[in-house]
């Protein structure tokens, strides 16, 4: 039981490049989330998916797109990376019968 | 607007020196309050959920308590391995699927 996994762990992009961050969970959770964590800003929600086939914007969705590929996988795409998107990105999932979320190990992204 | 404020931002303790971390919150209807531990370079690790005022949860040297306005994470006789950032988050009744996080308290325990 791996929990929530994320790939890659580290990534460096140049301004304007695109990339997709991958997330998968093996806990049979319906809800999945993408956060970014910046010094002094805490964890901020980018997008979430309450169930397979649905996605909703969070607090800071601009510049990102998401895809809920199936119940296990939820990807985050940066179409044209900007230096302001330099951050640590966390994926999380939640079981329907509780409100606590379980986090992956994170992806550290640097945009130059 | 839902708000979560944690204090202090950083706390240095000697091994064995007990203390408390504070999480003050303002929400319209609390569904749950959560404590997480985050080690450097890792994702937040779930510790506790508290649902109503007066509730307490314990795990090893950690004890979380909840009132109508704040939560405390009490650390009894801490060890260096308790050093981490502790995050507090709330689930509000009108927030759907979303948690609101505080800024965290960075705890350093010296041997």
């Amino acid at each position: 039981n791996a929990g929530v996994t994320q790939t890659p762990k580290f990534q460096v992009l140049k301004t304007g490049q695109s990339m997709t961050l991958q997330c998968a969970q093996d806990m049979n959770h319906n809800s999945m989330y993408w956060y970014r964590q910046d010094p002094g800003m805490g964890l901020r929600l980018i997008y979430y998916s309450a169930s397979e086939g649905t996605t909703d914007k969070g607090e800071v969705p601009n510049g990102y797109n998401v895809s809920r590929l199936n119940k296990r996988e939820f990807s985050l795409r940066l179409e044209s990376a900007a230096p302001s998107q330099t951050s640590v990105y966390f994926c999380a999932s939640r079981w329907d019968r509780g409100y606590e979320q379980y986090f992956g190990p994170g992806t550290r992204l640097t945009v130059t | 607007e839902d708000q979560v404020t944690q204090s202090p931002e950083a706390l240095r303790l000697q091994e064995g020196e007990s203390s408390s971390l504070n999480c003050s919150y303002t929400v319209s209807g609390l569904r749950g309050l959560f404590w997480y531990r985050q080690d450097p370079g890792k994702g937040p690790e779930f510790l506790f959920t508290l649902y109503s005022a007066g509730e307490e949860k314990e795990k090893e040297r950690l004890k979380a308590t909840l009132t109508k306005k704040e939560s405390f994470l009490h650390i009894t006789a801490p060890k260096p391995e308790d050093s981490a950032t502790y995050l507090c988050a709330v689930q509000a009744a009108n927030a759907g699927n979303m948690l609101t996080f505080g800024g965290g308290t960075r705890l350093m325990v010296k041997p």
Side-chain angles (χ1 to χ4, degrees), chain B residues 28-97:
Chain B
S28 52
L30 180 71
R31 281 188 175 166
L33 184 141
F34 312 91
W35 282 98
Y36 288 85
R37 169 189 170 129
Q38 186 173 23
D39 292 299
K42 296 191 176 181
E45 175 190 351
F46 171 70
L47 292 173
F48 304 111
T49 305
L50 300 167
Y51 292 105
S52 58
E55 189 174 0
E56 300 181 350
K57 294 273 181 74
E58 284 190 73
K59 180 180 180 180
E60 297 180 352
R61 294 176 293 281
L62 301 177
K63 180 179 177 180
T65 62
L66 181 65
T67 72
K68 289 186 177 181
K69 294 184 179 181
E70 57 192 349
S71 176
F72 292 94
L73 185 65
H74 307 276
I75 304 177
T76 302
K79 298 182 177 181
E81 53 261 43
D82 294 321
S83 298
T85 295
Y86 291 85
L87 301 172
C88 172
V90 298
Q91 169 83 54
N94 63 352
N97 249 311

Side-chain angles (χ1 to χ4, degrees), chain A residues 33 37 45 50 94 99 101, chain B residues 34 36 38 43 49 97-98:
Chain A
Y33 307 80
Q37 187 175 41
L45 183 65
R94 181 179 72 88
Y99 294 110
Q101 297 178 15
Chain B
F34 312 91
Y36 288 85
Q38 186 173 23
T49 305
N97 249 311
M98 295 190 284

